[in-house]
Amino acid sequence: MNSRSIPFDRLPFTDLYRGYINRSPEVMQYFSGHPFSDHAVREHASRFHFPGDRDQSVEALLHFNRQLGAGSQVTAQLERLRDPDSLVVVTGQQLTIYGGPLFTVYKTMTTLLYARRWEELLQRPVVPVFWLADEDHDYPEAAELGLLANDTFEQLSLNNGSGLPVGREILGDSYLVFEEKFFDRLPESDFSDEIRALLTRHYREGATFRSAFGGLLLHLFEKHGLVLAGSDDPEIKSLISRPLRAAADNPEGLSEALESQSLALENAGFGRQALVQPSNLFYIDSDGGRQKLDLEGDTWSNGNGQVWSREELRRAVEANPERFSPNVFLRPMLQDQLLPTLAYVCGPGELAYYAQMKGAYQWAGQQMPMLLPRISGTLVEPAVERVMKKLPFEFEEYESRTEDLETAYLKRSVPEGGGDLFADWRRESTRLAEDAKSRAKEIDPTLEASADKTETRIQQQIDQLQQKVTRAVKRREATQIQRIHRVRENLFPGGKLQERQLSFVYYMNRYGTDLLDRMLEVLGEEVPDSHKVIGL
């Protein structure tokens, strides 16, 4: 296994993300220090103040992790958080079927690697944490999974959810249909039985998305020191309710802070990742459904016709914080109320959210964490690597449509000068036709229409001949064209980065359940300042 780097400016990443990677002053003004600078990390850590209660956080997290099957290694890690000097590097995402796409493990690996690096740098305990976004409710995203079947990208989906936060969704009959379809599509290998046993141990009928996702993550990464956290838990919610209360007490202050930063981003040409709304709160009803709270004047309301005055909502949040849930802007503040967060490991989209939030952290009276870009990578199988060497394209060119790659290849495959020959032929034909039409018109003006038709037929004949040449080349190069399709589907399935499309389980099935451990070793010294092409 090996790794090489591709600059982000050769791949489909935003200007904001590239600017952050390159420490552009125009971008860095929206953030709090840069994680690639040891000096900045030391400075940030020296100024850090944790607003929560460490012992209470540890006790709540011990209970949370034990519910998900954590063992003694997690307990030992959490006990380290009682140390007043301890810090965490945290990442997180929505709870997806079978752990989701490859970026799940890239986030986790970045968190593990930098917790180790910074513990050595700072000479302070640094614990890696994965935040289970168990209150999110984007079920369609959580219920999708991509794999390759005969070198063709295929996306499988569960049936619709029940409207609960995804962490509470229960795997039912529709899951069994999905499970059968997934294993039917998964290529048979020496590791298939082991993969089936691993997945069915955690993802089984009656399990929730949180218990399944959390259990799988612990199985894969507990031995490396990973700890889990989340907020859809009464004990934890009671510890981190201060930002929820503040959002109920002073919603205008939060919205104004977010909008001011968002407008600055727009004026700088970066745009905004999400719209700012008057309310940043959701309400969990008696059936467990998550409903957006709307604010109009002095009245709060939800979609079920319930209304509260400002004072009533403030008291409700204080009395029953577990009935209230944060939106995308408020969630990180709850996270940082529970955890002594040195840095959050993020993807490009999350970085864009955080770019809107510096003023919001000031509003909350909290210290904004450093933002550490997750590892971005593409796995390249040996057979695909061999095929790539026989084709004339660079890695990043495979982002193009298959049809465009095919056309580009065929143009290169036409005998030297062949493409120019047809273009020259058309131009010369047009020039001669103009002379002929002019002379015919002088002799008899009624001949002009006939001359036009003749010119059109000549151009059509040239087009037909070129098409025949192209088809002949295509037949001759059929094997190469198949290779182009194969490489493109492996590197950019569905036209998008592999890390966003393909399940990491697909690769574990092909290369063994220890694949992630080996990837951690290879990526051990890498800095996530470029896209990593990882040869398997």
Side-chain angles (χ1 to χ4, degrees), residues 12 23 41 47 71 74 81 108 183 194 199 203 205 226 248 265 327 330 345 379 388-389 427 435 458 475 490 511 518:
R23 311 184 210 188
V41 173
R47 291 184 284 104
V74 168
L81 286 181
T108 309
F183 285 113
E194 192 175 355
L199 294 181
Y203 287 83
E205 189 176 13
L226 188 69
L265 283 162
N327 76 343
L330 198 57
V345 175
L379 300 180
M388 289 175 67
K389 292 177 180 178
R427 283 193 297 269
D435 289 343
I458 292 171
R475 287 193 298 272
N490 275 267
Y511 294 95
R518 288 182 278 130

Side-chain angles (χ1 to χ4, degrees), residues 73-85:
Q73 290 167 301
V74 168
T75 299
Q77 283 284 69
L78 284 171
E79 290 297 333
R80 298 172 74 215
L81 286 181
R82 298 187 194 274
D83 186 329
D85 285 334

Side-chain angles (χ1 to χ4, degrees), residues 178-245:
F178 174 90
E179 179 187 68
E180 183 179 356
K181 185 183 294 185
F182 176 79
F183 285 113
D184 181 60
R185 301 291 196 282
L186 197 66
E188 189 68 28
S189 75
D190 293 341
F191 309 104
S192 295
D193 290 344
E194 192 175 355
I195 291 297
R196 179 184 284 272
L198 170 63
L199 294 181
T200 55
R201 173 181 173 182
H202 300 288
Y203 287 83
R204 59 187 183 276
E205 189 176 13
T208 64
F209 266 72
R210 183 172 77 177
S211 65
F213 185 98
L216 177 62
L217 214 58
L218 284 173
H219 182 98
L220 296 173
F221 293 109
E222 178 179 6
K223 61 189 171 187
H224 297 292
L226 188 69
V227 170
L228 303 183
S231 56
D232 192 15
D233 177 274
E235 184 180 1
I236 288 176
K237 189 64 72 67
S238 68
L239 297 178
I240 58 179
S241 63
R242 190 178 71 82
L244 295 174
R245 297 197 306 271

Side-chain angles (χ1 to χ4, degrees), residues 267-532:
N267 293 334
F270 296 117
R272 62 175 79 194
Q273 183 72 6
L275 293 175
V276 176
Q277 310 219 5
S279 167
N280 292 278
L281 291 170
F282 286 81
Y283 179 71
I284 307 295
D285 65 23
S286 56
D287 296 323
R290 186 171 182 256
Q291 302 157 1
K292 188 178 185 306
L293 285 175
D294 294 312
L295 175 64
E296 188 170 345
D298 289 328
T299 301
W300 292 88
S301 63
N302 66 4
N304 283 351
Q306 291 177 276
V307 295
W308 299 261
S309 68
R310 287 185 179 239
E311 180 59 22
E312 286 172 336
L313 191 78
R314 187 194 67 76
R315 290 200 304 266
V317 174
E318 187 168 358
N320 301 106
E322 73 280 0
R323 299 296 294 271
F324 295 87
S325 179
N327 76 343
V328 68
F329 292 125
L330 198 57
R331 187 210 64 77
M333 298 174 199
L334 272 69
Q335 165 193 286
D336 300 339
Q337 191 75 24
L338 181 70
L339 303 168
T341 309
L342 173 64
Y344 181 80
V345 175
C346 61
E350 291 168 303
L351 185 86
Y353 284 123
Y354 269 95
Q356 295 177 248
M357 291 180 58
K358 192 172 185 180
Y361 267 95
Q362 294 168 351
W363 164 86
Q366 292 180 232
Q367 185 175 353
M368 186 178 184
M370 303 186 86
L371 278 300
L372 175 60
R374 65 163 170 80
I375 291 168
S376 174
T378 297
L379 300 180
V380 182
E381 299 186 62
V384 175
E385 184 78 51
R386 289 193 295 271
V387 171
M388 289 175 67
K389 292 177 180 178
K390 298 176 182 178
L391 294 169
F393 300 112
E394 297 295 328
F395 173 88
E396 61 272 18
E397 290 183 84
Y398 287 100
E399 183 200 352
S400 303
R401 295 189 316 150
T402 303
E403 297 84 353
D404 295 335
L405 288 167
E406 184 178 303
T407 299
Y409 182 79
L410 291 175
K411 282 183 178 178
R412 300 183 195 190
S413 301
V414 171
E416 188 173 352
D420 293 339
L421 171 63
F422 286 104
D424 292 343
W425 192 352
R426 289 189 187 90
R427 283 193 297 269
E428 187 64 17
S429 174
T430 299
R431 185 186 65 78
L432 291 171
E434 289 301 319
D435 289 343
K437 283 192 292 184
S438 177
R439 293 183 186 181
K441 186 177 179 181
E442 289 176 2
I443 296 170
D444 183 350
T446 64
L447 296 175
E448 184 176 10
S450 296
D452 285 336
K453 290 180 182 178
T454 301
E455 180 190 3
T456 299
R457 284 196 296 270
I458 292 171
Q459 293 289 347
Q460 289 172 342
Q461 291 293 321
I462 295 172
D463 289 343
Q464 290 172 10
L465 180 57
Q466 186 171 20
Q467 289 168 9
K468 289 179 180 179
V469 170
T470 299
R471 286 195 294 271
V473 172
K474 197 169 183 177
R475 287 193 298 272
R476 189 186 71 188
E477 301 292 347
T479 299
Q480 291 291 73
I481 290 171
Q482 278 187 325
R483 288 170 173 164
I484 291 170
H485 289 217
R486 181 183 184 187
V487 172
R488 198 259 188 179
E489 285 291 271
N490 275 267
L491 303 187
F492 292 90
K496 297 179 181 178
L497 285 166
Q498 179 197 88
E499 62 188 23
R500 302 200 63 82
Q501 298 284 77
L502 294 184
S503 164
F504 64 84
V505 172
Y506 169 81
Y507 287 98
M508 289 173 62
N509 178 66
R510 291 181 64 80
Y511 294 95
T513 53
D514 67 340
L515 172 65
L516 305 185
D517 300 332
R518 288 182 278 130
M519 287 173 62
L520 261 174
E521 291 181 15
V522 169
L523 296 169
E525 302 302 320
E526 294 283 3
V527 176
D529 58 358
S530 56
H531 186 79
K532 312 305 177 186

